[in-house]
Amino acid sequence: MPVDPLSPIFQRQRVLAEFGVPAQERLARAHVLVIGAGGLASTLLPVLAAAGVGTLTIVDDDTVAESNLHRQTMHTPGDVDRGKAASAATRLAALAPDAEVRAVDRRFDAVTAEDLLHGVDVLVDASDNPATVLLADRVAAECGIPLVWGSALGYAGQAGVAWDARGTDYRDLFPHGSDSDADTCDVIGVLPSVCAVIGAFMATEALKLLTGIGDPLIGRVAAYDARTGRTREIVYRRDESTRAAVQTATPAPQPSDQNDVSPEELRDLLMTSEPPLLVDVREPWEAEITSIPGSVLIPLGELASRTRELGTGNPVVLYCHRGGRSRQALDLLLQLGFSDVRHLTGGVDAWAVRVDPTASRY
């Protein structure tokens, strides 16, 4: 049975000024696609479902890990190792049994985006991943739909709306791309309540866009600092000259693909008579959880002062959790004159998935 906009469940919404039955009907007809079923989505998705959104599609190819549970409150210890999309869909089905909830256990990428966005009214990026939000921004602009995005890290978070048709999108805020994925919750940590606050901001923006009520955060960013309890607004606008310069500029030199090594390639290299020197650039607490046998631990912050330890005459392969910090380490060593150095794409997490399933993941 589809969501009934006249249900007593929504009485407290319908009595809101400027809301009424028309806004509730728009929610019942709406289709929202949410990328990610983690910390931000754990507040965002239940709010959208409880508010009466008729169709929710959840896209996430990850599985629940024990270290997720302090902030990804849709999931329970019994969901560990279960797909996040399916776990979230189970919770939402109990909360809003009349809503259509679709779990998509796959990655949101350039190949899948077009099919996934068919019939979607609002796209929400709750992945908190720089590459994914840039892709979401592009495909949302191509489809002419708004993108709600958010980010939470440490004690702070931000949320906003990108809508190319209304004058600004995410590229206007970050014309050269956002921060490296080296700064992640794995490294910096995150206060769970920050995820809840930003997830609530994102849910509110999605509801405003769907109902036409209020002033969405288009060309504005709401920035929250948990340590002070303050929220401030950052205003930005489209700068066509900057956008044109970014599109025509010659890219800065970057390490080529020959500096990347896949988990399978590394496995084969480690079995040769002259294996590479394998350097783990994570923190000691991470190495205690899992590591690749035979590796040397040199945290990224110590690498510049410990380069003498790399002078073994063997090629060097760097790795971290998922590839962000090892890419930074690679850049550093190349700048210092090292030539025979590579880094493991996807990090120890990809190693665990594709080479050693007995290795712990976090």
Side-chain angles (χ1 to χ4, degrees), residues 301-322:
E302 302 176 14
L303 185 61
S305 62
R306 296 176 59 181
T307 55
R308 289 184 180 180
E309 298 176 40
L310 308 182
T312 63
N314 289 24
V316 175
V317 174
L318 308 153
Y319 78 90
C320 63
H321 185 200
R322 289 180 173 165

Side-chain angles (χ1 to χ4, degrees), residues 233-253:
E233 182 180 277
I234 302 167
V235 179
Y236 66 99
R237 62 182 177 83
R238 173 158 296 174
D239 186 340
E240 297 293 354
S241 62
T242 300
R243 177 171 289 203
V246 171
Q247 292 174 344
T248 59
T250 302

Side-chain angles (χ1 to χ4, degrees), residues 16-338:
L16 284 167
E18 303 178 27
F19 204 94
V21 174
Q24 198 65 55
E25 289 176 336
R26 286 193 285 272
L27 290 181
R29 294 192 300 267
H31 182 182
V32 177
L33 186 147
V34 177
I35 307 169
L40 298 173
S42 286
T43 295
L44 161 74
L45 281 168
V47 169
L48 294 181
V53 174
T55 304
L56 287 164
T57 297
I58 309 162
V59 183
D60 197 319
D61 68 340
D62 199 5
T63 57
V64 179
E66 193 171 18
S67 62
N68 299 150
L69 299 179
H70 84 114
R71 67 194 184 281
Q72 299 183 13
T73 52
M74 280 189 301
H75 313 299
T76 69
D79 295 314
V80 170
D81 294 329
R82 186 184 181 194
K84 287 184 180 179
S87 174
T90 299
R91 301 293 177 272
L92 298 185
L95 178 65
D98 294 335
E100 181 179 356
V101 181
R102 306 170 181 173
V104 181
D105 184 15
R106 61 196 295 187
R107 183 176 294 275
F108 185 89
D109 57 29
V111 176
T112 62
E114 184 176 354
D115 289 339
L116 289 172
L117 286 178
H118 181 71
V120 168
D121 299 296
V122 172
L123 175 62
V124 181
D125 180 80
S127 69
D128 206 354
N129 177 282
T132 302
V133 71
L134 287 170
L135 170 64
D137 179 65
R138 177 175 64 79
V139 297
E142 292 172 354
C143 294
I145 62 174
L147 168 70
V148 178
W149 62 271
S151 176
L153 186 67
Y155 296 98
Q158 305 84 36
V161 175
W163 198 353
D164 187 71
R166 292 280 294 272
T168 58
D169 57 27
Y170 193 80
R171 290 169 294 168
D172 297 308
L173 183 62
F174 296 107
H176 300 284
S178 56
D179 292 340
S180 166
D181 62 358
D183 290 336
T184 66
C185 295
D186 303 327
V187 182
I188 306 298
V190 63
L191 194 68
S193 55
V194 174
C195 295
V197 169
I198 300 303
F201 265 110
M202 296 167 70
T204 301
E205 292 306 306
L207 293 174
K208 286 158 58 179
L209 291 165
L210 293 170
T211 60
I213 291 171
D215 183 14
L217 283 170
I218 301 172
R220 298 179 294 135
V221 177
Y224 171 69
D225 185 342
R227 286 171 294 190
T228 64
R230 295 191 180 98
T231 302
R232 64 190 181 96
E233 182 180 277
I234 302 167
V235 179
Y236 66 99
R237 62 182 177 83
R238 173 158 296 174
D239 186 340
E240 297 293 354
S241 62
T242 300
R243 177 171 289 203
V246 171
Q247 292 174 344
T248 59
T250 302
Q254 296 292 329
S256 66
D257 290 342
Q258 69 182 15
N259 297 110
D260 297 342
V261 59
S262 71
E264 294 82 3
E265 289 174 318
L266 178 59
R267 175 198 59 202
D268 295 342
L269 287 171
L270 293 175
M271 296 174 64
T272 63
S273 58
E274 296 184 0
L277 174 65
L278 191 56
V279 179
D280 181 355
V281 297
R282 298 173 302 154
E283 297 302 312
W285 67 267
E286 294 176 278
E288 291 178 6
I289 297 173
T290 188
S291 62
I292 301 175
S295 60
V296 176
L297 178 65
I298 305 179
L300 178 59
E302 302 176 14
L303 185 61
S305 62
R306 296 176 59 181
T307 55
R308 289 184 180 180
E309 298 176 40
L310 308 182
T312 63
N314 289 24
V316 175
V317 174
L318 308 153
Y319 78 90
C320 63
H321 185 200
R322 289 180 173 165
R325 281 170 286 173
S326 61
R327 170 64 73 174
Q328 286 191 336
L330 172 65
D331 292 343
L332 172 64
L333 293 183
L334 290 175
Q335 291 171 10
L336 292 175
F338 285 82

